[in-house]
Amino acid sequence: MPTPRGLWITCLILPALAVMLLFVAYPIVSALAYAFYHWNGMARGEFVGFRNFYDVLFTEPYKSTVQNAFINNVIVFVTLMVVQNGAAFILAYALWREFPLARFHRIAVFLPVVLSTVIVGYLWKLFLNPLFGIVNQTLKAVGLAGLAQPWLGQSDTALASLILVNAWHWVGFPTLIFLAAMQRIPSEIYDAVRMETESEWVKIRKIIWPLVAPAATIVFVLQFIGSFNWFELPYVMEGMSGSPYGNTDVLALYFYRLAFGNPGAGSSDFGHGSALAALVFIFITVFATAMTLYLRRREIEL
């Protein structure tokens, strides 16, 4: 017989559970079900089993685009892990020290994070405009007109431009996590090392990084998930078709393009789009779990 306290807790949980089932579980299960059908959103779907999964992995024209998009996702993850986390660690280390206007600088570093990705995308799309964008205009004003170029319109700079914009947008998040971890370092330990050496590198290597490593694990895993779910920024800045030669194609953009290519013309392919989305979901779940376990073991070794 449930107690009044148990009934009260159940009443509190049920609304949240209903929302989760309706807006999280149901779309995931529906997408997985569509992956087993050949369906363009208009005519009745035909059950094809695992054929859609096989097609997106091993047959053209899906195979080449999937491979290209996967490589781009890996490039995004590795670059963000190195560039964004490197910048975040340096910023956190600088902000950790007390100096005039420190609180203002902490807010300024975190400010881009609160901006919507859509706003950031359109803002930087204007900044990088080849004709009147502030980036090219600044280069011309300082005598570096030769470096001015269509950043988003050519294959060798499009993906790099998107990654740098993304790094600028989110650098405040790892900075905040690293800074919070540094502020929890016991002052006695840090003072003891400071008495032994004045080398900043030794302090970072022996004290700061080992104690910040647990926080870094969270950052790495979240960046891995975010890199393979990367969609809003390339969609806003490059459109659904991506940059020339597919240089900014990523997996999320490709399965969206497959599923919602042109519903009015009946060219949508929900089956292959859902199959690719399901494969990406499984890949992210498996590797994020493996990465978490591996990095936690490394923390113990540190």
Side-chain angles (χ1 to χ4, degrees):
M1 186 72 181
T3 63
R5 177 182 169 80
L7 286 173
W8 175 243
I9 292 175
T10 303
C11 290
L12 292 175
I13 292 175
L14 280 179
L17 183 63
V19 171
M20 289 286 291
L21 290 173
L22 182 61
F23 294 105
V24 178
Y26 176 71
I28 291 175
V29 173
S30 297
L32 185 60
Y34 290 144
F36 293 93
Y37 284 83
H38 175 65
W39 185 46
N40 63 6
M42 299 182 72
R44 185 175 180 179
E46 175 192 357
F47 183 77
V48 293
F50 287 93
R51 181 69 196 182
N52 291 332
F53 294 91
Y54 180 84
D55 287 345
V56 296
L57 290 176
F58 302 111
T59 64
E60 299 294 352
Y62 311 103
K63 176 184 170 184
S64 300
T65 309
V66 169
Q67 288 178 348
N68 179 52
F70 179 79
I71 291 171
N72 285 341
N73 279 112
V74 172
I75 292 172
V76 170
F77 171 59
V78 173
T79 309
L80 287 180
M81 195 170 62
V82 175
V83 175
Q84 190 179 62
N85 290 343
F89 189 87
I90 293 170
L91 285 170
Y93 187 65
L95 294 173
W96 185 35
R97 305 300 184 87
E98 291 300 327
F99 59 91
L101 299 177
R103 184 168 296 180
F104 167 78
H105 287 91
R106 289 170 187 169
I107 294 173
V109 168
F110 190 73
L111 194 59
V113 175
V114 302
L115 295 175
S116 159
T117 303
V118 175
I119 293 174
V120 170
Y122 280 114
L123 189 68
W124 275 96
K125 195 173 181 178
L126 290 175
F127 288 170
L128 296 173
N129 186 285
L131 298 178
F132 53 80
I134 192 172
V135 175
N136 280 354
Q137 293 299 325
T138 302
L139 290 172
K140 292 173 184 175
V142 299
L144 298 174
L147 297 179
Q149 53 193 300
W151 300 97
L152 299 175
Q154 56 187 16
S155 58
D156 53 345
T157 57
L159 184 61
S161 300
L162 294 182
I163 293 174
L164 289 177
V165 171
N166 191 76
W168 172 86
H169 184 199
W170 292 105
V171 71
F173 180 70
T175 301
L176 192 67
I177 292 178
F178 290 154
L179 180 61
M182 289 178 189
Q183 289 176 331
R184 294 183 61 186
I185 296 175
S187 58
E188 298 82 4
I189 297 177
Y190 189 74
D191 291 340
V193 176
R194 190 164 55 184
M195 291 176 66
E196 292 182 4
T197 178
E198 288 298 321
S199 170
E200 293 296 320
W201 170 245
V202 173
K203 295 173 192 171
I204 291 173
R205 187 168 59 85
K206 287 190 173 181
I207 295 298
I208 297 174
W209 177 248
L211 294 176
V212 169
T217 301
I218 299 170
V219 172
F220 291 158
V221 173
L222 290 177
Q223 280 178 336
F224 175 79
I225 296 171
S227 297
F228 281 88
N229 276 327
W230 205 38
F231 174 78
E232 294 94 338
L233 196 66
Y235 180 77
V236 170
M237 296 186 70
E238 291 285 9
M240 192 162 70
S241 59
S243 72
Y245 311 110
N247 285 72
T248 58
D249 257 339
V250 286
L251 289 170
L253 193 64
Y254 183 48
F255 63 65
Y256 177 84
R257 194 162 67 224
L258 277 175
F260 301 100
N262 189 352
S267 64
S268 299
D269 187 350
F270 287 96
H272 287 104
S274 298
L276 182 56
L279 289 171
V280 172
F281 175 76
I282 294 168
F283 172 78
I284 290 174
T285 303
V286 171
F287 275 81
T289 305
M291 184 183 294
T292 304
L293 295 174
Y294 173 75
L295 291 175
R296 282 184 177 174
R297 193 174 62 183
R298 291 283 299 166
E299 287 170 20
I300 295 171
E301 292 176 359
L302 284 171

